[in-house]
């Protein structure tokens, strides 16, 4: 049956010698066996073709309106292609219509404009909006092309792309124009004051250059951006939809300016602003959900979509935790783990270029080591409904590798069951494909 379903089996002969056991009410039980009983084999990580292997995932998601889909690295091919595969499935089978990415709100609007109108070229749009990010890759061109093709064939039920993050690495003049253009058209008497408030802030062409401004100046600009938001909020007129978008765009400017008051040398400042960033990402998804009524797939790092991160000192409260506070059971996070392979990261978190790094197989004692002994090469499981022995194991914090914007990085302790409702494990990954000219 496994072969017929397209599952790729891995050797399991090592399990007898290395299988981990846990004590449950029924005595000591084999963890790998319990995990295997809960596991659903993945036929492939590539989008397209039969999705019968994802039916179990549909049941796990149930009636959730927002699904967070993580990634254990920024920049592995299989994580990115699985996101497209899962999104396609959710669109076609579960009524989802929005893909939200850990990307600036303004860039998301630019991509969505292309999806709705077809004006422009998918590759050029990706190069403009995903520049300097790990998503500036062929896998995201593929996703954008599929979404545009879907809209061309389903004009009455289009899909959307949103960026839920603060406005880095830039907030261009055209984005500010979405706010000032609304005021010019509907409340011209307030335009002069709005332009005054945005002076010195419009545009932010380079976030890193902006961070070179004195802290006091950045704090003053952030205060003025907040005043601009308050000005917009006071101008609500009869066209509520247009107003709502103008206000949300002004909110994004204020969110970004506040985030840019960080002091990289001050640990407490970074901690507070990382919490603020996760809160912003959750607020933006919630706004979109409330405003459009759409079901949303949220794509971000594991440490954002999960209920808890592996580094609470730096990420004290996650986007997933904020979404759970707001949405309750209507939010469901899916985490990713992998055993070995390549990915993109940087030598320094701020600045630098994204490049390939590789890690070997997980060592004994890590979560990935035990997960990789399950008899499926790639699989997913419902953490909440796993057999007792598996659930007891998933409840314990162990070293797990989650790689972000800087490498090298050591595995950090995390209890899978305390962070995710569903887990996907991949045996091996490779670096994402460089964007072609």
């Amino acid at each position: 049956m496994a072969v017929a379903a397209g599952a790729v089996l891995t050797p399991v002969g090592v399990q007898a010698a290395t299988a981990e056991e846990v004590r449950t009410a029924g005595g000591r039980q084999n963890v790998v066996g319990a995990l295997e009983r809960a596991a659903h084999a993945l036929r492939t990580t590539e989008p397209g073709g039969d999705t019968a292997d994802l039916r179990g995932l549909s049941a796990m998601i149930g009636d959730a309106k927002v699904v967070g889909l993580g990634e254990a690295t920024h920049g592995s091919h299989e994580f990115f292609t699985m996101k497209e595969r899962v999104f396609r499935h959710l669109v076609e089978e579960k009524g989802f219509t929005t893909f939200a990415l850990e990307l600036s709100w303004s860039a998301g609007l630019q991509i969505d404009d292309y999806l709705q109108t077809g004006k422009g070229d998918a590759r050029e749009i990706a190069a403009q909006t995903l520049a300097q990010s790990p998503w500036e890759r062929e896998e995201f061109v593929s996703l954008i092309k599929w979404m545009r093709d879907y809209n061309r064939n389903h004009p009455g039920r289009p899909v959307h792309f949103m960026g839920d993050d603060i406005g880095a690495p830039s907030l261009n003049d055209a984005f500010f124009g979405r706010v000032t253009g609304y005021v010019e058209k509907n409340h011209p008497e307030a335009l002069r004051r709005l332009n005054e408030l945005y002076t010195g802030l419009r545009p932010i062409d380079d976030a890193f250059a902006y961070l070179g401004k004195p802290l006091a100046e950045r704090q003053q600009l952030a205060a003025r951006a907040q005043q601009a938001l308050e000005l917009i909020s006071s101008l609500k007129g009869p066209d509520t939809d247009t107003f709502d978008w103008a206000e949300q765009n002004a909110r994004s400017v204020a969110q970004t300016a506040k985030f840019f008051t960080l002091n990289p040398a001050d640990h407490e400042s970074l901690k507070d602003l990382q919490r603020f960033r996760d809160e912003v990402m959750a607020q933006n998804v919630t706004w979109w959900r409330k405003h459009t009524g759409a079901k949303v797939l949220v794509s971000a790092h594991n440490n954002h979509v999960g209920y808890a991160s592996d580094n609470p000192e730096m990420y004290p409260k996650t986007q997933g935790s904020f979404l759970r506070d707001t949405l309750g059971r209507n939010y469901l996070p899916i985490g990713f783990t992998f055993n070995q392979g390549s990915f993109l990261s940087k030598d320094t978190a701020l600045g630098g270029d994204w490049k390939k790094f590789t890690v070997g197989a997980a060592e004994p004692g890590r979560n990935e080591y035990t997960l990789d002994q399950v008899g499926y090469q790639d699989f997913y499981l419902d953490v909440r409904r796993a057999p007792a022995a598996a659930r007891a194991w998933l409840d314990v914090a162990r070293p797990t590798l989650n790689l972000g914007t800087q490498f090298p990085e050591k595995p950090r302790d995390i209890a899978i069951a305390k962070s995710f409702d569903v887990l996907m494990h991949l045996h091996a990954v490779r670096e994402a494909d460089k964007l072609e000219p």
Side-chain angles (χ1 to χ4, degrees), residues 58 115 207 239 243:
S58 291
L115 296 182
D239 187 350
F243 165 80

Side-chain angles (χ1 to χ4, degrees), residues 7-52:
V8 183
L9 300 182
T10 58
V12 295
V14 297
Q15 292 180 9
T18 61
E20 191 173 347
E21 292 186 340
V22 295
R23 186 177 296 278
T24 68
R28 298 191 69 82
Q29 296 187 29
N30 179 274
V31 171
V32 173
L35 290 168
E36 195 161 311
R37 289 195 298 276
H40 295 247
L42 282 167
R43 179 185 65 83
T44 181
T45 58
E46 296 297 317
D50 185 21
T51 61

Side-chain angles (χ1 to χ4, degrees), residues 122-195:
R123 190 171 299 281
E124 292 178 3
I125 295 293
Q128 293 169 12
T129 57
L130 306 177
Q132 303 178 45
S133 81
W135 307 291
E136 188 184 5
R137 301 287 148 174
E138 282 298 314
E139 293 82 357
F140 275 89
V141 173
S142 173
L143 172 65
I144 293 169
K145 284 183 174 180
W146 180 85
M147 293 176 75
R148 176 58 198 154
D149 287 343
Y150 182 90
N151 284 355
R152 188 180 296 110
N153 295 321
H154 301 82
R157 187 179 172 273
V159 292
H160 292 270
F161 194 109
M162 74 164 291
D164 60 27
D165 210 341
I166 53 97
S170 67
L171 280 180
N172 61 29
D173 191 69
F175 179 69
F176 279 89
R178 291 177 184 259
V179 182
T180 58
Y182 167 81
V183 172
E184 183 176 19
K185 181 178 179 180
N186 297 279
H187 304 278
E189 73 283 355
L191 182 61
R192 180 178 177 181
R193 176 56 179 160
L194 182 62
N195 284 331

Side-chain angles (χ1 to χ4, degrees), residues 331-348:
Y331 176 68
L332 180 138
I334 303 172
F336 262 114
T337 55
F338 73 108
N339 181 59
Q340 62 189 17
S342 301
F343 52 92
L344 301 173
S345 191
K346 300 189 294 184
D347 295 314
T348 58

Side-chain angles (χ1 to χ4, degrees), residues 9 11 21 61 107 111 168 212 274 282 297 305 323 331 366 406 417:
L9 300 182
E21 292 186 340
I61 289 171
I111 294 172
Q274 285 290 7
L297 178 69
V305 302
L323 286 172
Y331 176 68
R366 277 176 46 188
Q406 186 171 353

